[in-house]
Amino acid sequence: AQIMGDLLKVRADTNAINITLNSFGTPLNEPAMRASDRKRLYPALGHLYPAGTSMLADVGDEDELGRVLDLFPQYSSIWNVHSAGGSDGKSIDDAFYERDVQMLELAFEGQMHFGAFYAYVKLKEQEIRNLVWISECILQQQKEEIHKFVPVFSFNAPWRAGSKTRGR
């Protein structure tokens, strides 16, 4: 239950951050709408819930969002990818996907929990996203962009320590 709970909390936090980020420049970002409509969109679980989501509800621009996320170390590094303008060609969604794949891969390390089934389905969804990305790159003749997918169970994944020595 612990592994599945952590996976769901992180997913809920990702949704809360995306709701806030995508509401900028829309009527949901107006002060009256933040407290009523946008606040109701936030999930009622996660590492950010309840203090973080109530702070997110009051955020009016990206700078404020960055200050709120700096209070949560697990999300400040992901926010830094976004605020750096997508260094290495990565968007904030790419950073979320990489973090998700890392956590989902680690779900297979435990035993006797439903998190492994959830992780299997979510990793299959990532494989499909990867195939769509590669197909679109080929169709649009953007072959130099083809390597910008999130690897699943790859020894070359950025989060695998010592991955260079395992493959030899």
Side-chain angles (χ1 to χ4, degrees):
Q2 180 68 31
I3 294 171
M4 186 69 183
D6 284 341
L7 292 173
L8 293 176
K9 285 178 182 178
V10 167
R11 179 45 112 191
D13 291 345
T14 300
N15 288 343
I17 293 167
N18 279 331
I19 288 167
T20 306
L21 191 58
N22 292 330
S23 71
F24 298 148
T26 68
L28 278 177
N29 197 36
E30 294 173 7
M33 299 288 278
R34 286 184 216 155
S36 60
D37 291 351
R38 188 168 80 180
K39 191 170 187 172
R40 285 188 293 195
L41 294 174
Y42 294 130
L45 74 144
H47 297 292
L48 294 175
Y49 181 78
T53 53
S54 65
M55 286 189 276
L56 288 177
D58 296 330
V59 166
D61 60 19
E62 288 191 12
D63 292 333
E64 289 179 46
L65 179 58
R67 285 192 291 275
V68 168
L69 292 179
D70 281 341
L71 301 174
F72 301 91
Q74 66 267 39
Y75 300 113
S76 64
S77 61
I78 291 175
W79 179 253
N80 290 337
V81 168
H82 176 73
S83 62
S87 62
D88 300 332
K90 287 185 191 174
S91 67
I92 192 168
D93 290 329
D94 293 333
F96 279 133
Y97 286 140
E98 282 184 2
R99 192 265 334 265
D100 289 347
V101 167
Q102 179 183 7
M103 289 186 66
L104 293 167
E105 286 180 359
L106 291 174
F108 286 101
E109 300 291 326
Q111 299 176 1
M112 305 295 192
H113 61 85
F114 288 111
F117 297 105
Y118 178 80
Y120 175 80
V121 170
K122 290 299 182 181
L123 288 172
K124 283 296 179 187
E125 287 177 1
Q126 183 61 46
E127 286 179 349
I128 292 168
R129 269 194 297 274
N130 289 345
L131 289 172
V132 168
W133 174 260
I134 291 168
S135 301
E136 289 294 324
C137 286
I138 292 170
L139 285 174
Q140 296 174 13
Q141 298 178 352
Q142 298 289 324
K143 294 183 181 173
E144 64 277 355
E145 302 292 321
I146 221 164
H147 69 282
K148 294 182 180 179
F149 62 90
V150 180
V152 176
F153 287 117
S154 171
F155 286 119
N156 298 323
W159 53 85
R160 297 208 182 259
S163 63
K164 305 283 186 225
T165 58
R166 285 189 203 177
R168 294 181 186 172

